[in-house]
């Protein structure tokens, strides 16, 4: 370090590689080059991620990816880091400072107790964590002896030494007969000492047992009589919370529903004003819009009732009545449908019978025409055989076809006529006349 | 942060890791500073060339580690011979592309180098030194990293 100003600036520059984190850091968040969590990471074209500093430094020597040795061009092959990695990094925590890593710089510079600052002693050029640097104490890098065990160390190390290692001066616990290091006595008394004072953990449920930890723990283990009550109380509190939550949601739902209903009624009114016939006034089956018993002012009613349970019950009843109404409407509708169906079917049946009789008539006419045709054919053949009689036969057949249409309108006579012609068609009489 | 600090940080991390756990057959002997570490390696399978032997490795880290490779050589001691291998000279100098400027990558570390050397020995069946070993050992005054190796043989 060349001069003082440079020294100052480097003091507060965060040493990203030197940060210690509260929780263990996942291996995947470590830069493969410096083995510490990524700082302003960069992802290469080949998909590997490094700290900007690390990859830049590595590329100065060799322009390939340190992992798979693919060539890398610093100006083209850097990509933006997936945000998920940034998020994960920003969750890492250093000291007990709760905050994302992105705000770390400010915290570190001004407040963090763990930031290393210059030793308050102007003679000393070492750095020291801010929490230890108080001017009154002077330089803390001088060796001091632990006041309990006479081990020599710098003042900075003393704290952890006391917490974990030092067993220097031990004392008897005044309550139990355990031997503990003097500076840990307080913690022992409040947490471990079997003779210390403790209250039963079901005190809130009404248990009055309190006294020596040993006794109270035994009491708890052997089953405090208030344990059941305690559990019930806990459950009740839980239920209460659920109910509150639900009733709040219900109220908001009701409010939005009545708002919607208001809109719909306005629409109905305007439709009626325009002379349109609203559907539910016409078809009795569809009354959902108008006469629903549930809806009017339900949100307001909710306020009048005392407890959420009552409110729920009243809602239930309303839903019940609404259900009944709907069932009635459905039955109505079904009856109506059946009736109109019946009416339609009878009419169709009558028409069907009429059609059937007409088809019968047409059938008869067809048979008559066919006979006529056959007769004509036979007469033509006979005419070819005997010349002079053919003329008379032809005129007879034309007469018969002329009378045909007339016979269809007055059927009885037609039938008789047809029967006569049929006998003729046997050809027996003609044969006789020819002879 | 200067390269030297960078190297020290990185070596600190590595030391922390390898003092907790190392793969079988690798042991940390000493790491007093961030310039020179000593490690012992053993070949784990029963390759007759290296059975029941332990070899001492010396790592020397420059200030530009891990951007540049460390200098790694075998050291000869009374109970630590130099392993016989066509890429290991009898003065302990190792010809391995991984340890050269070209073959090195900053992703490598002490542990991975040891493992590479372990497997280099495991895979060897030739009971011989590199060609020209005697001349090289007699004549060489260069540091290993200044020697221009020609990595011709990728099989061993």
């Amino acid at each position: 370090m060349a001069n003082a100003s440079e020294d100052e600036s480097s003091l507060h520059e965060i040493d990203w590689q030197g940060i210690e984190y509260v929780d263990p850091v996942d291996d995947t968040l470590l830069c493969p080059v410096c083995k510490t969590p990524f700082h302003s990471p960069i992802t290469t074209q080949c998909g590997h991620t490094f700290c900007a500093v690390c990859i830049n430094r590595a590329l100065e020597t060799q322009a390939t990816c340190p992992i798979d040795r693919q060539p890398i061009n610093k100006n083209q092959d850097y990509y933006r880091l997936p945000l998920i990695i940034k998020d994960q990094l920003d969750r890492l925590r250093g000291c007990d400072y709760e905050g994302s890593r992105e705000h770390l710089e400010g915290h570190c510079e001004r407040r963090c107790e763990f930031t290393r600052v210059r030793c308050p002693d102007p003679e000393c050029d070492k750095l020291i964590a801010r929490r230890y640097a108080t001017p009154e104490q002077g330089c803390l890098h001088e060796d001091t002896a632990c006041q309990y065990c006479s081990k020599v160390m710098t003042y900075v190390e003393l704290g952890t030494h006391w917490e974990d290692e030092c067993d220097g001066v031990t004392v008897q616990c005044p309550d139990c007969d355990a031997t503990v290091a003097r500076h840990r006595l307080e913690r022992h008394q409040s947490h471990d000492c079997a003779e210390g004072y403790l209250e039963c953990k079901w005190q809130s449920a009404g248990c009055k047992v309190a006294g020596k930890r040993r006794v109270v723990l035994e009491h708890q283990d052997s089953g405090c009589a208030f344990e059941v009550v305690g559990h019930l109380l806990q459950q009740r509190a839980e239920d209460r919370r659920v109910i509150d939550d639900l009733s709040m949601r219900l109220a908001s739902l009701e409010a939005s529903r009545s708002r919607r209903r208001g809109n719909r009624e306005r629409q109905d009114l305007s439709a009626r004003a325009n002379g349109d016939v609203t559907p539910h006034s016409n078809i009795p089956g569809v009354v959902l819009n108008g006469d629903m018993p549930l809806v009017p002012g339900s949100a307001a009613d909710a306020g009048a009732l005392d407890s959420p349970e009552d409110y729920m019950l009243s809602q239930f009843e309303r839903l019940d009545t609404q259900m009944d109404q709907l069932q009635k409407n459905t039955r109505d509708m079904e009856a109506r449908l059946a009736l109109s169906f019946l009416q339609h079917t009878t009419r169709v049946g009558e028409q069907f019978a009429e059609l059937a009789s007409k088809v019968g008539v047409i059938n008869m006419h067809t048979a008559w025409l066919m006979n006529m045709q056959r007769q004509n054919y036979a007469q033509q053949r006979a005419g070819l055989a005997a010349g002079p009689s053919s003329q008379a036969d032809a005129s007879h057949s034309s007469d018969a076809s002329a009378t045909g249409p007339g016979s269809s309108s007055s059927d009885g006579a037609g039938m008789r006529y047809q029967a006569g012609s049929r006998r003729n068609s046997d050809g027996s009489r003609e044969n006789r006349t020819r002879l | 942060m200067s390269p030297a600090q960078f190297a020290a940080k990185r070596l600190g991390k590595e030391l922390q890791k390898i003092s907790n756990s190392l793969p079988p057959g690798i042991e940390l002997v000493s790491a007093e500073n961030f310039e020179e570490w000593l490690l012992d390696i053993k070949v784990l399978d029963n390759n007759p060339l290296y059975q029941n032997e332990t070899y001492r490795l010396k790592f020397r880290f420059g200030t530009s580690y891990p951007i540049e490779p460390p200098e790694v050589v075998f050291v000869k001691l009374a109970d630590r011979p130099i392993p016989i291998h066509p890429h290991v000279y009898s003065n302990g100098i190792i010809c391995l592309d991984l340890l050269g400027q070209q073959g090195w990558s900053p992703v490598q570390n002490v542990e991975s180098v040891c493992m590479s050397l372990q497997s280099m020995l495991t895979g060897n069946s030739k009971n011989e030194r590199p060609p020209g070993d005697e001349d090289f050992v007699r004549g060489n005054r260069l540091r290993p990293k200044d020697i221009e190796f020609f990595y011709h043989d990728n099989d061993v």
Side-chain angles (χ1 to χ4, degrees):
Chain A
M1 293 177 197
N3 57 55
S5 68
E6 198 181 299
D7 203 11
E8 282 301 324
S9 72
S10 74
L11 267 181
H12 293 309
E13 196 177 292
I14 295 183
D15 171 12
W16 289 95
Q17 265 88 33
I19 296 176
E20 306 248 327
Y21 296 89
V22 175
D23 310 310
V25 180
D26 192 287
D27 276 355
T28 51
L29 290 178
L30 301 183
C31 166
V33 175
C34 65
K35 308 283 182 198
T36 56
F38 296 116
H39 171 228
S40 52
I42 279 172
T43 298
T44 60
Q45 190 185 23
C46 50
H48 298 112
T49 308
F50 307 91
C51 303
V53 178
C54 295
I55 183 71
N56 285 337
R57 207 172 277 185
L59 291 188
E60 275 169 29
T61 316
Q62 206 167 23
T64 57
C65 169
I67 292 180
D68 62 9
R69 296 180 197 276
Q70 286 194 28
I72 287 181
N73 183 336
K74 204 169 155 172
N75 301 317
Q76 293 168 14
D77 298 339
Y78 281 4
Y79 283 83
R80 256 182 65 162
L81 183 84
L83 287 176
I84 185 165
I85 297 195
K86 186 176 173 296
D87 290 347
Q88 278 181 301
L89 287 170
D90 285 342
R91 280 187 199 178
L92 299 175
R93 293 189 295 128
C95 60
D96 279 339
Y97 161 67
E98 298 271 347
S100 59
R101 207 175 77 143
E102 54 189 325
H103 300 134
L104 184 58
E105 228 147 339
H107 162 78
C108 196
E109 203 170 297
R110 288 183 290 277
R111 287 185 296 277
C112 180
E113 290 291 288
F114 290 78
T115 306
R116 286 160 75 77
V117 296
R118 223 184 324 193
C119 182
D121 185 352
E123 297 295 305
C124 178
D125 62 350
K126 288 187 177 138
L127 300 179
I128 185 171
R130 182 176 280 136
R131 59 190 159 143
Y132 298 126
T134 47
E136 312 85 71
Q137 281 185 292
C139 178
L140 300 171
H141 292 97
E142 280 167 16
D143 287 345
T144 38
C146 167
Q147 56 196 102
Y148 301 121
C149 69
S150 76
K151 197 177 159 194
V152 176
M153 67 202 74
T154 62
Y155 187 84
V156 182
E157 293 164 322
L158 215 52
T160 47
H161 168 70
W162 280 357
E163 275 298 314
D164 303 324
E165 303 161 355
C166 180
D167 288 316
V169 179
T170 55
V171 287
Q172 273 321 91
C173 170
D175 299 324
C176 62
D177 51 358
T179 311
V180 286
R182 188 157 65 199
H183 51 273
R184 281 182 231 144
L185 182 59
E186 209 167 305
R187 200 177 63 190
H188 163 75
Q189 280 181 320
S190 62
H191 283 88
D192 306 320
C193 181
E195 306 293 320
Y197 179 78
L198 187 72
E199 283 164 345
C200 177
K201 63 174 170 181
W202 301 113
Q203 199 199 23
S204 60
C207 183
K208 295 276 190 293
V209 177
K212 293 187 172 175
R213 177 182 307 273
R214 183 165 44 82
V215 182
V216 174
L217 284 179
E218 205 174 297
H219 156 74
Q220 278 178 10
D221 286 344
S222 63
C224 174
F226 289 89
E227 193 174 339
V228 186
V229 185
H231 281 308
L232 275 177
L233 282 175
Q234 277 174 2
Q235 259 168 16
R236 194 168 156 269
E238 186 94 340
D239 291 349
R240 188 86 229 167
R241 239 191 24 248
V242 173
I243 291 172
D244 286 349
D245 181 44
L246 282 176
S247 61
M248 231 158 65
R249 276 161 56 184
L250 195 71
S252 74
L253 273 175
E254 284 298 334
S256 73
R257 231 176 56 158
S258 68
R259 235 194 343 269
R260 265 207 305 278
R261 204 183 94 81
N263 288 343
R264 216 163 37 197
E265 276 184 341
R266 263 199 299 282
Q267 282 171 1
D268 279 359
L269 280 176
S270 63
R272 241 176 281 194
N274 290 341
D276 290 345
V277 185
T278 46
H280 65 267
S281 65
N282 203 10
I283 304 168
V286 192
V287 290
L288 287 174
N289 290 349
D291 327 330
M292 220 156 37
L294 169 66
V295 187
S298 51
D301 289 356
L305 290 165
D306 299 336
S307 70
E309 287 93 338
D310 288 348
Y311 176 64
M312 287 304 292
L313 279 174
S314 71
Q315 285 294 50
F316 243 118
E317 279 164 21
R318 283 171 167 174
L319 282 171
D320 253 359
T321 37
Q322 191 191 348
M323 205 64 186
D324 286 347
Q325 175 105 18
L326 279 175
Q327 265 172 353
K328 217 183 81 205
N329 288 339
T330 322
R331 271 198 300 276
D332 241 22
M333 190 80 153
E334 266 170 14
R336 241 157 242 280
L337 269 176
L339 199 65
S340 69
F341 183 70
L342 207 64
Q343 281 170 353
H344 278 291
T345 4
T346 14
R347 206 177 308 151
V348 169
E350 281 165 7
Q351 282 169 350
F352 200 71
E354 201 178 315
L355 277 175
S357 72
K358 280 185 179 161
V359 169
V361 173
I362 289 172
N363 242 345
M364 280 190 299
H365 287 185
T366 320
W368 181 78
L369 279 171
M370 289 284 280
N371 276 338
M372 188 71 76
Q373 201 69 27
R374 220 175 293 150
Q375 197 180 351
N376 276 347
Y377 185 62
Q379 279 177 354
Q380 267 169 13
R381 261 212 313 212
L384 281 176
S389 67
S390 73
Q391 189 64 43
D393 277 359
S395 70
H396 173 78
S397 81
S398 72
D399 275 352
S401 63
T403 48
S407 73
S408 75
S409 56
S410 56
D411 25 4
M415 286 292 268
R416 273 194 298 274
Y417 187 83
Q418 269 182 337
S421 74
R422 193 193 301 256
R423 273 195 304 274
N424 278 348
S425 75
D426 291 343
S428 54
R429 211 170 59 186
E430 275 137 283
N431 280 344
R432 257 180 272 134
T433 48
R434 238 184 281 158
L435 283 170
Chain B
M1 193 167 34
S2 75
Q5 280 174 298
F6 191 82
K9 284 272 155 52
R10 156 79 188 248
L11 283 168
K13 288 272 170 198
E14 282 192 45
L15 188 57
Q16 203 178 0
K17 186 163 176 266
I18 64 178
S19 23
N20 284 334
S21 71
L22 268 172
I26 302 175
E27 254 174 64
L28 183 64
V29 178
S30 79
E32 303 290 315
N33 49 43
F34 292 144
E35 281 153 30
E36 187 178 298
W37 293 2
L38 297 174
L39 288 99
D40 274 351
I41 64 167
K42 280 181 190 160
V43 177
L44 291 175
D45 70 345
N46 34 22
N47 188 333
L49 291 173
Y50 311 111
Q51 216 167 0
N52 301 327
E53 287 288 359
T54 307
Y55 304 103
R56 172 69 48 89
L57 279 170
K58 183 167 81 178
F59 283 74
R60 285 170 63 89
F61 307 101
T63 51
S64 43
Y65 180 83
I67 304 303
E68 290 191 5
E71 179 190 301
V72 186
V73 294
F74 283 107
V75 182
K76 189 175 177 128
L77 296 171
D79 55 344
R80 299 280 187 268
I82 305 287
I84 189 131
H85 189 281
H87 292 170
V88 180
Y89 290 92
S90 49
N91 58 1
I93 287 177
I94 305 162
C95 167
L96 179 64
D97 66 340
L98 188 78
L99 299 172
Q101 288 286 357
Q102 289 304 306
W104 175 257
S105 148
V107 179
Q108 304 286 355
N109 55 47
V110 174
E111 185 184 320
S112 73
V113 169
C114 286
M115 287 168 73
S116 301
L117 288 170
Q118 249 186 336
S119 73
M120 180 180 101
L121 295 182
T122 307
N124 177 44
S125 56
K126 294 183 189 160
N127 186 8
E128 56 189 44
R129 291 284 174 204
D133 176 53
E134 277 177 41
D135 290 345
F136 174 80
V137 170
R138 203 182 311 124
N140 181 53
R141 295 289 171 269
L142 293 169
R143 298 219 59 91
K145 69 170 192 170
D146 299 323
I147 302 170
E148 290 211 7
F149 288 110
F150 174 57
Y151 307 107
H152 61 289
D153 180 4
N154 293 321
D155 301 335
V156 187

